[in-house]
Amino acid sequence: MRVRFGLLSTAAINGAVLGARSADASFELVAVGSRDGARAEAYARTHGLGRAHGSYGDLLADENVDAVYIALPNALHHEWTMRALAAGKHVLVEKPYTRFPKQVDEAWDEAERRGLVLEEAYMWRHSAQTRLMLDLLPRIGEVRAVHSTFTATLAREDDPRWVQELGGGALLDLGCYCVSAARLLLGEPDGVHGEARIGRGSVDEHFAGTLRFGDVVATFQCGFTSPLVDEIEVIGAEGVLRVPHAFVNPPGVVLLNGEEHRVEPGNAYGAELEDVCAAIRGERSVLLGRDEMRNQARTLAALLIRRRLQPP
Ligand SMILES: NC(=O)c1ccc[n+]([C@@H]2O[C@H](COP(=O)([O-])OP(=O)(O)OC[C@H]3O[C@@H](n4cnc5c(N)ncnc54)[C@H](OP(=O)(O)O)[C@@H]3O)[C@@H](O)[C@H]2O)c1
């Protein structure tokens, strides 16, 4: 039986999940919940969803929903994940789950106690392109340096990314991918440093960070006031890997010493939903489990207060 997902909010990013529907998928999207009943109704009609709920609570009370996709402003992820788990729903929740490692453990404790699946939606980690990058990595020898950039221009005036209380700011929205990339390539950092340019709403509109992994230092830049750049460069003792479009709709291209390597890109949003479904069926654990989520939160927390980390 297909896993019946409900969309918790009418967020813009839902479009990517709606676009991942297919006849042979292990999931179906059956309902939406919004703070506004009329918005939920219109959304359900437009996107062919069976049921519309005028509150998130009503969506969670829907017995014909097995799992929810939570795409809320960042500061609301933990609260609604806890409520969803308490209602017996599996959860796929958008990145960054939280900047508080303790909240990761609270959520995982609750999920495990209830036998439910929880995963943080770092879609790029599920892409075929990211696997290609990892496959090519040994060919550049020992990694000497990693640099990544994720910048984009925010179009909407009322974007929650400009609101500090909603978990706004470039580090949490975009830099979290750079942190995810550095950790994927190098392990867990033992020291971090960050510099921010503070902008509208007192959020970091641009953030530059360093993460130290023993002798190797990874650097990154992220921000809301420049054109789209989402790339990773890995410099090894014997070569260089570049991923020119690492995070947004990965096209399946990695450069090894300037030579193009390609893979069929597939649909990374579909792949992450399939990962949750496979875990629900008991076939495997989710790709991004408790430790991954906690270490991501721990690193973001340290960068936000720009201090040295304690050992894990
Ligand atoms: N994985 C990816 O590729 C990717 C890409 C973009 C964003 N994201 C993540 O997805 C999440 C949502 O991002 P988005 O850009 O799609 O969000 P968005 O379009 O701004 O939508 C957020 C939704 O949250 C609900 N909401 C509840 N309380 C709110 C409040 N106080 N202010 C504003 N909205 C509120 C609203 O839905 P209702 O009005 O219907 O209740 C709104 O539609 C974020 O965590 C972001 O980091 C992930």
Side-chain angles (χ1 to χ4, degrees):
M1 202 172 107
R2 304 223 272 182
V3 176
R4 300 166 300 179
F5 266 87
L7 301 175
L8 197 148
S9 93
T10 57
I13 189 59
N14 284 357
V17 168
L18 288 158
R21 288 183 287 192
S22 77
D24 56 358
S26 309
F27 62 90
E28 54 186 328
L29 304 180
V30 298
V32 61
S34 168
R35 294 168 299 173
D36 179 310
R39 185 153 60 237
E41 291 285 350
Y43 197 86
R45 254 194 322 277
T46 304
H47 298 289
L49 304 170
R51 291 181 304 288
H53 297 287
S55 76
Y56 304 149
D58 286 351
L59 174 73
L60 295 181
D62 185 334
E63 287 181 357
N64 294 307
V65 167
D66 307 309
V68 287
Y69 170 63
I70 300 180
L72 292 170
N74 300 335
L76 303 177
H77 290 171
H78 180 60
E79 174 189 345
W80 283 99
T81 294
M82 293 304 287
R83 290 198 192 195
L85 293 169
K89 310 300 185 195
H90 305 284
V91 173
L92 174 64
V93 55
E94 266 306 338
K95 44 53 63 178
Y97 180 64
T98 178
R99 52 182 288 197
F100 302 110
K102 195 166 151 261
Q103 294 185 339
V104 172
D105 282 316
E106 277 170 24
W108 270 89
D109 287 348
E110 183 71 0
E112 285 176 358
R113 201 168 63 78
R114 293 179 178 272
L116 295 168
V117 170
L118 168 64
E119 187 160 25
E120 185 177 16
Y122 275 102
M123 163 280 288
W124 85 284
R125 286 289 312 271
H126 298 268
S127 78
Q129 177 179 280
T130 301
R131 282 196 299 281
L132 175 61
M133 175 187 77
L134 294 175
D135 289 346
L136 293 171
L137 188 63
R139 301 197 22 200
I140 64 168
E142 200 171 317
V143 174
R144 300 281 193 239
V146 172
H147 181 72
S148 62
T149 306
F150 198 170
T151 57
T153 305
L154 293 190
R156 284 154 36 198
E157 273 298 308
D158 62 346
D159 198 307
R161 290 163 180 79
W162 291 119
V163 182
Q164 200 174 40
E165 299 72 36
L166 292 177
L171 174 66
L172 289 181
D173 188 53
L174 302 176
C176 64
Y177 286 91
C178 303
V179 168
S180 166
R183 292 183 45 256
L184 176 63
L185 290 158
L186 291 166
E188 298 308 332
D190 47 55
V192 302
H193 181 72
E195 297 286 345
R197 184 171 73 239
I198 303 301
R200 258 182 63 189
S202 298
V203 306
D204 50 307
E205 66 175 20
H206 194 99
F207 195 103
T210 60
L211 301 101
R212 181 164 49 75
F213 303 79
D215 293 339
V216 182
V217 173
T219 53
F220 72 89
Q221 299 272 348
C222 61
F224 289 153
T225 57
S226 320
L228 177 65
V229 179
D230 65 322
E231 62 186 21
I232 302 172
E233 185 174 48
V234 193
I235 301 173
E238 292 144 36
V240 177
L241 271 186
R242 279 195 61 234
V243 188
H245 301 289
F247 306 123
V248 182
N249 299 323
V253 177
V254 178
L255 305 177
L256 170 62
N257 299 325
E259 181 196 330
E260 195 170 283
H261 291 247
R262 282 189 170 271
V263 67
E264 187 57 45
N267 184 320
Y269 293 96
E272 89 182 344
L273 283 152
E274 290 295 341
D275 193 49
V276 172
C277 293
I280 291 172
R281 291 192 300 268
E283 291 168 11
R284 59 175 192 246
S285 304
V286 290
L287 178 68
L288 309 176
R290 182 197 284 253
D291 289 349
E292 168 62 33
M293 270 175 75
R294 190 198 309 104
N295 286 330
Q296 182 71 7
R298 164 183 175 270
T299 310
L300 291 172
L303 280 162
L304 277 168
I305 56 173
R306 295 158 213 151
R307 64 154 166 78
R308 286 186 175 272
L309 276 174
Q310 299 305 312

